[in-house]
Amino acid sequence: MTDRIRQFLRRHREDGPRLVVDLDVVRSNYNAFSKALPDTRVFYAVKANPAPEILKLLNDMGSCFDTASMGEIDLVMQAGGTPDRISFGNTIKKEKDIAAAYALGVRLFAVDCEAEVEKIARVAPGSKVFCRILCDGSGAEWPLSRKFGCAPEMAPQVLEHAHKLGLVAHGISFHVGSQQNNVKAWDRALKTSGAIFREMAERGINLSMVNLGGGFPAQYLRDIPKVEEYGQAIFRALRKHFGNRIPETIIEPGRGMVGAAGMIEAEVVLISKKSATDNQRWVYLDIGKFGGLAETMEEAIRYPIRTEKDDDVMAPCVIAGPTCDSADVLYEKTPYLLPVSLEIGDKVLIEACGAYTTTYSSVAFNGFEPLKSYVI
Ligand SMILES: *Cc1c(COP(=O)(O)O)cnc(C)c1O
């Protein structure tokens, strides 16, 4: 936790869970990405946290934006972003939204099949498209599976189709899986990308861009490699697979940009045991899977959780949310250590919650309000 967040929490006491994001951390993360990958343009993945203050800061620092919907495009433009710095990076778009983005001036679109290329050719003529390829996501704590991207063997056909329809076959994209702890994860995808570039050149079409996606981790319980190590590994892979003809590159960090910048203050609503002989406590918080902590699904993301009593004796417990859905258990398979002196009404601090929390919180499941957010 940063001093600024600590002071904010002390000065503004409040009931109910709330996320507090420190813009200083976002600023230093942006600088770290720019430094680690100096020749790569940053397209912040807006879905990680679309708070206007964050978008405005990143826009002022020169960032571009990866968006998935007209709603996100509008947010970026309200924050001062210009269409030439926006990528419509979702491979699943309604034709009317492509047309609306084009009317605003957006000219960069993701595709992973010919049907999507045809939509873009119809309503966004002359635009640049990049083809997303499948990536297996191994090594990632939040893999993105098979939903996006086509088999690499299909990509040249998709891009050639785009070229024939008057679009600019711009390049390739992939996402190595979110919270990717392995700095070498980009190597294989870049090898495949290099092969696609050569295949396209043989067809007389020169691609120019590789979109390296997101995947850069935030520090949760496990230690993670530094951004510089990712930068070095990616640069080595580019050299290896593209030689002296390194393409234009972009990255789309979401979690790595804002994850560590925020933390959630929550409260203990109940501590109980399931039987007289059970010695495991159940600790129920006023936030759970539906209040913003959806990434605890299958206990994938393990947030550091702290209390003011962490110097006391600690004992394992199950941690759950407040709603009446039995899926709303955060950690049970791998119990967390919390102080035995923890009491109902105590505050707990859940760290590294800047990404994928406010956007995942439900509107009013069980009558609980969406997660409140403060950007300082
Ligand atoms: C979600 C997403 C990202 C951001 O991923 P992180 O792992 O949070 O960095 C980047 N690109 C695309 C296309 C995405 O959908």
Side-chain angles (χ1 to χ4, degrees):
M1 168 161 60
T2 68
D3 285 343
R4 295 180 73 224
I5 295 181
R6 191 175 294 120
Q7 279 166 15
F8 177 87
L9 291 175
R10 210 174 284 145
R11 280 203 210 114
H12 306 84
R13 305 228 173 239
E14 197 177 303
D15 190 36
R18 50 181 167 158
L19 171 71
V20 185
V21 175
D22 184 346
L23 283 179
D24 283 354
V25 180
V26 181
R27 188 179 294 112
S28 84
N29 285 341
Y30 181 85
N31 286 331
F33 278 117
S34 310
K35 203 164 155 230
L37 291 143
D39 298 321
T40 300
R41 277 206 300 169
V42 175
F43 281 66
Y44 171 59
V46 173
K47 75 176 184 294
N49 191 327
E53 300 90 338
I54 295 175
L55 299 181
K56 181 163 187 323
L57 171 80
L58 290 172
N59 186 59
D60 290 347
M61 294 185 80
S63 184
C64 302
F65 299 91
D66 167 50
T67 61
S69 64
M70 278 310 293
E72 286 187 352
I73 291 173
D74 287 341
L75 286 172
V76 169
M77 296 195 51
Q78 279 158 26
T82 48
D84 55 310
R85 288 209 251 153
I86 294 175
S87 162
F88 202 161
N90 191 345
T91 51
I92 306 152
K93 302 174 284 303
K94 286 188 176 167
E95 191 161 321
K96 76 170 180 29
D97 290 337
I98 299 169
Y102 182 78
L104 289 176
V106 176
R107 294 290 182 272
L108 183 61
F109 297 89
V111 297
D112 67 0
C113 65
E114 293 189 16
E116 194 73 10
V117 165
E118 283 161 17
K119 290 185 207 168
I120 296 169
R122 277 193 293 270
V123 297
S127 293
K128 292 176 175 171
V129 297
F130 54 89
C131 183
R132 181 153 168 182
I133 54 172
L134 281 167
C135 221
D136 74 358
S138 63
E141 286 176 29
W142 190 258
L144 296 171
S145 78
R146 288 183 48 77
K147 181 167 171 186
F148 311 99
C150 62
E153 307 79 65
M154 195 170 111
Q157 193 181 317
V158 172
L159 287 164
E160 187 166 30
H161 194 57
H163 177 78
K164 285 188 179 144
L165 294 180
L167 297 168
V168 178
H170 191 48
I172 295 294
S173 79
F174 53 82
H175 194 302
V176 296
S178 202
Q179 189 67 12
Q180 176 56 262
N181 293 312
N182 182 3
V183 301
K184 298 199 176 123
W186 280 259
D187 184 76
R188 191 142 51 111
L190 282 170
K191 180 175 181 193
T192 310
S193 304
I196 296 170
F197 267 59
R198 286 188 291 278
E199 158 90 32
M200 291 304 291
E202 278 166 28
R203 298 183 188 205
I205 300 165
N206 289 315
L207 301 180
S208 47
M209 189 272 293
V210 177
N211 176 346
L212 304 159
F216 306 94
Q219 170 87 53
Y220 298 114
L221 284 177
R222 276 172 58 183
D223 281 343
I224 51 164
K226 292 199 180 60
V227 184
E228 300 88 85
E229 295 172 54
Y230 285 88
Q232 282 157 12
I234 287 171
F235 186 68
R236 270 198 302 275
L238 281 165
R239 275 319 264 269
K240 187 160 123 201
H241 303 301
F242 288 87
N244 290 328
R245 310 186 61 180
I246 293 185
E248 178 195 327
T249 50
I250 69 178
I251 51 169
E252 300 175 330
R255 190 187 304 280
M257 187 74 83
V258 293
M263 52 157 282
I264 288 173
E265 181 189 63
E267 185 181 312
V268 176
V269 181
L270 182 67
I271 302 176
S272 65
K273 288 183 177 171
K274 296 291 167 197
S275 75
T277 53
D278 189 2
N279 50 28
Q280 177 141 280
R281 291 167 301 162
W282 279 66
V283 173
Y284 300 90
L285 304 178
D286 61 357
I287 187 171
K289 280 209 171 85
F290 303 98
L293 302 180
E295 289 198 312
T296 57
M297 215 186 293
E298 285 161 19
E299 309 193 15
I301 298 296
R302 295 178 61 77
Y303 296 104
I305 300 181
R306 299 200 310 176
T307 77
E308 285 186 356
K309 298 175 172 168
D310 289 350
D311 292 335
D312 296 354
V313 178
M314 307 288 267
C317 51
V318 176
I319 303 180
T323 66
C324 300
D325 188 313
S326 56
D328 195 10
V329 175
L330 305 181
Y331 301 113
E332 182 176 15
K333 276 185 291 183
T334 317
Y336 265 57
L337 291 176
L338 287 176
V340 291
S341 54
L342 193 70
E343 287 176 278
I344 292 170
D346 284 349
K347 296 286 191 194
V348 302
L349 300 175
I350 309 171
E351 301 208 315
C353 288
Y356 305 118
T357 50
T358 50
T359 38
Y360 275 158
S361 99
S362 65
V363 172
F365 177 48
N366 260 182
F368 291 100
E369 276 179 42
L371 180 58
K372 275 180 287 192
S373 157
Y374 298 89
V375 180
I376 60 170

